[in-house]
Amino acid sequence: MNLNLPINELLKGSQNKQELKSLLRQAELGVNSWEPIFSNFISAPLREEFFEKIKLIDDVYCLSNGGYVGAERQRISFEKKSEIRLKEKILPPIKAINIEGNFLFDRAEKNDFINSINALGASYETLGDLWLIRDRGAQLICTPDTAIQLDGKHGLVRGVEIIFENIEINQLNLPFQRQPKKFSSVEASTRLDAIASAGFGISRSKIVNHIKSGNLRLNWLPIRQSSKSVTTGDRIQLEGKGSIELLKIEKTKRERWRVEMLRK
């Protein structure tokens, strides 16, 4: 007998209804199939919302995989929960690609590489995390099919020739991963730029530049307003620098703000 998920109920209150509905349909298909079903790569906020919803359904077994601990974009596997699956744990398949190019005199941005990949016919949904490797290009997590599609191909990024090469996951030069750390800071305000500056340990002017460039996100959403106030429970993500979670914000006797944070 096939299992029908209460999709309409699970969609209530969602900020990503269409994307979440698609994942729930895949989960339903996976539960009713003999083989696991794999999603494309999805964003971190959508993944978090999906797992929060699907934990209410006992029969669905899901695992996510982005290639390394802390990966933002990950794939999800969907299948029926069973004792065998709990032991075997089939992860969604992924591959790694090195993108070689000489950017010594004009360092490229992440979106430059994504645009070049799209120009070669690979859709964004098949791409996991992509990060820069100093002035030598970038590295990428992707689906196996996209790895085959890109391997050996040449492209252009800012006039610089790049070449794509399949590599093993253990050959990746992974982004720096911070150890989680709790700390507190006293600030004059709860402005986003002030709190992010203290949390990431970089100057306020650099934080403002990151905001203008779209590299900083508040609760996973891009934000362009440096003066926006933050509150307890908010999470701030900075590309290449991890994230901070605001655990507690309280006013001091001197009319300043003591902020407790968890940096990851």
Side-chain angles (χ1 to χ4, degrees), residues 5 20 29 72 93 98 127 134 144 155 157 205 210 224 231 248:
L5 298 183
L20 181 59
L29 181 61
E72 282 195 18
N98 188 66
L127 309 181
R134 298 176 295 279
V157 168
S205 62
H210 281 303
R224 303 292 177 130
T231 188
K248 187 176 182 181

Side-chain angles (χ1 to χ4, degrees), residues 100-111:
E100 184 75 18
N102 186 352
F103 295 91
L104 181 61
F105 301 106
D106 185 13
R107 186 166 182 177
E109 300 293 335
K110 176 180 175 180
N111 283 339

Side-chain angles (χ1 to χ4, degrees), residues 54-122:
I54 208 67
K55 73 180 184 182
L56 303 173
I57 311 298
D58 290 335
D59 292 325
V60 183
Y61 183 57
C62 301
L63 289 172
S64 63
N65 184 19
Y68 64 98
V69 175
E72 282 195 18
R73 293 177 60 77
Q74 298 190 24
R75 303 185 74 185
I76 301 178
S77 64
F78 315 96
E79 55 187 324
K80 185 175 179 62
K81 186 178 290 184
S82 68
E83 291 299 322
I84 293 176
R85 289 308 186 211
L86 290 174
K87 293 177 181 178
E88 291 183 353
K89 296 186 177 180
I90 299 177
L91 290 171
I94 58 172
K95 292 292 183 180
I97 289 182
N98 188 66
I99 309 171
E100 184 75 18
N102 186 352
F103 295 91
L104 181 61
F105 301 106
D106 185 13
R107 186 166 182 177
E109 300 293 335
K110 176 180 175 180
N111 283 339
D112 295 325
F113 289 98
I114 291 176
N115 291 337
S116 179
I117 293 168
N118 292 158
L120 292 172

Side-chain angles (χ1 to χ4, degrees), residues 109 111 207-216 223-224:
E109 300 293 335
N111 283 339
I207 286 293
V208 171
N209 287 336
H210 281 303
I211 292 173
K212 290 179 179 178
S213 300
N215 297 328
L216 188 138
I223 186 165
R224 303 292 177 130

Side-chain angles (χ1 to χ4, degrees), residues 94-249:
I94 58 172
K95 292 292 183 180
I97 289 182
N98 188 66
I99 309 171
E100 184 75 18
N102 186 352
F103 295 91
L104 181 61
F105 301 106
D106 185 13
R107 186 166 182 177
E109 300 293 335
K110 176 180 175 180
N111 283 339
D112 295 325
F113 289 98
I114 291 176
N115 291 337
S116 179
I117 293 168
N118 292 158
L120 292 172
S123 66
Y124 185 62
E125 291 74 20
T126 68
L127 309 181
D129 284 4
L130 182 150
W131 58 93
L132 306 181
I133 305 296
R134 298 176 295 279
D135 57 5
R136 300 304 303 170
Q139 290 185 332
L140 167 71
I141 304 288
C142 65
T143 63
D145 286 346
T146 293
I148 294 171
Q149 181 181 358
L150 294 178
D151 188 34
K153 294 287 179 57
H154 293 253
L156 284 177
V157 168
R158 294 193 177 184
V160 175
E161 184 180 24
I162 57 173
I163 184 169
F164 297 84
E165 179 188 8
N166 286 355
I167 60 174
E168 298 297 326
I169 294 292
N170 60 14
Q171 293 179 286
L172 286 169
N173 185 4
L174 292 172
F176 174 73
Q177 298 291 299
R178 292 180 181 273
Q179 291 298 315
K181 177 185 178 182
K182 286 185 180 181
F183 65 100
S184 63
S185 177
V186 176
E187 303 297 324
S189 75
T190 59
R191 285 174 54 116
L192 175 63
D193 54 359
I195 303 304
S197 174
F200 293 110
I202 59 180
S203 72
R204 197 158 169 175
S205 62
K206 287 185 177 179
I207 286 293
V208 171
N209 287 336
H210 281 303
I211 292 173
K212 290 179 179 178
S213 300
N215 297 328
L216 188 138
R217 289 170 291 177
L218 178 61
N219 299 322
W220 296 111
L221 298 175
I223 186 165
R224 303 292 177 130
Q225 187 181 356
S226 301
S227 61
K228 181 176 176 60
S229 291
V230 295
T231 188
T232 299
D234 280 345
R235 290 185 292 173
I236 305 170
Q237 296 87 22
L238 179 57
E239 189 170 315
K241 295 290 185 180
S243 66
I244 55 175
E245 181 179 354
L246 307 183
L247 303 176
K248 187 176 182 181
I249 301 178

